[in-house]
């Protein structure tokens, strides 16, 4: 559907491998992907290129940790590096579709497409920047802090 809307450059991030249950829910995968233990991002990259060879899909195998979830101490450096890599990918793309990238996109004032598929249902949401939103959350926080500081310095009457 994204390719029908004109999207030609897609980065696919995931660390899961194609499972039998995945075959039933997502039509881009096939049995060979499951039998070969292909990563989901790699299998989607191959499928998209079969469907439309002009697409520029990049498969990136990496885990996306959810904020607030415990990270084993031996994996802290890896998780921090993945977060830095995710920020770079977020800066160079227009939309993301997972929870942490949604936060990054929201802060960068980008359109966000979130899709979830289940056995008997699906959900597709497009979060967008509102017409009045011109600064990121962090920029707005800095502006508010600066404004509050200026107000404190004004002489009282």
């Amino acid at each position: 559907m994204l390719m029908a809307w004109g999207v030609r450059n897609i980065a696919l991030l995931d660390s899961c491998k194609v499972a039998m249950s995945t075959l039933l829910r997502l039509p881009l995968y096939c049995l060979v992907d499951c039998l070969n233990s292909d990563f989901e991002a790699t299998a989607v990259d191959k499928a998209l290129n079969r469907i439309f060879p002009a697409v520029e899909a990049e498969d990136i195998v990496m885990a996306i940790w959810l904020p607030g979830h415990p990270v084993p101490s031996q994996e802290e450096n890896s998780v921090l590096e993945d977060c830095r890599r995710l920020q770079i990918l977020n800066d160079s793309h227009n939309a993301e579709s997972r929870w942490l990238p949604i936060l990054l996109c929201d802060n960068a004032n980008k359109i966000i497409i979130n899709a979830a598929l289940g056995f008997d249902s699906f959900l597709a949401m497009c979060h967008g920047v509102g017409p009045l939103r011109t600064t990121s959350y962090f920029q707005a926080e800095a502006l508010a802090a600066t404004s509050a500081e200026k107000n404190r310095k004004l002489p009282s009457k």
Side-chain angles (χ1 to χ4, degrees):
M1 186 177 291
L2 290 173
M3 290 184 299
W5 291 342
V7 173
R8 296 294 181 260
N9 190 335
I10 301 172
L12 308 156
L13 283 75
D14 205 328
S15 62
C16 295
K17 292 192 174 189
V18 179
M20 287 293 187
S21 63
T22 314
L23 298 176
L24 302 173
R25 295 181 291 120
L26 303 170
L28 288 175
Y29 301 116
C30 60
L31 183 60
V32 173
D33 300 324
C34 185
L35 296 176
N36 290 341
S37 294
D38 286 345
F39 285 101
E40 290 183 358
T42 305
V44 170
D45 182 1
K46 289 188 285 187
L48 292 177
N49 277 288
R50 281 192 306 268
I51 294 166
F52 187 68
V55 71
E56 293 182 29
E58 175 186 11
D59 59 301
I60 300 164
V61 177
M62 67 181 283
I64 300 173
W65 288 80
L66 294 175
H69 287 235
V71 174
S73 59
Q74 66 270 19
E75 294 186 42
E76 284 179 3
N77 289 336
S78 170
V79 170
L80 289 173
E81 184 56 37
D82 284 346
C83 287
R84 283 190 278 281
R85 187 174 180 201
L86 186 60
Q87 181 67 52
I88 291 167
L89 288 166
N90 181 65
D91 290 344
S92 64
H93 290 79
N94 292 327
E96 299 287 349
S97 66
R98 292 272 318 245
W99 195 84
L100 180 57
I102 286 172
L103 293 179
L104 294 171
C105 286
D106 185 55
N107 185 58
N109 212 16
K110 292 183 176 184
I111 293 173
I112 303 136
I113 299 169
N114 186 2
L117 299 173
F119 284 106
D120 60 352
S121 63
F122 72 92
L123 169 72
M125 295 170 45
C126 181
H127 311 269
V129 292
L132 302 176
R133 173 110 189 255
T134 58
T135 59
S136 73
Y137 171 78
F138 296 115
Q139 291 169 326
E141 285 290 309
L143 184 61
T146 303
S147 177
E149 184 64 29
K150 285 181 182 176
N151 288 338
R152 273 189 238 123
K153 292 180 181 178
L154 292 176
S156 58
K157 293 182 180 180

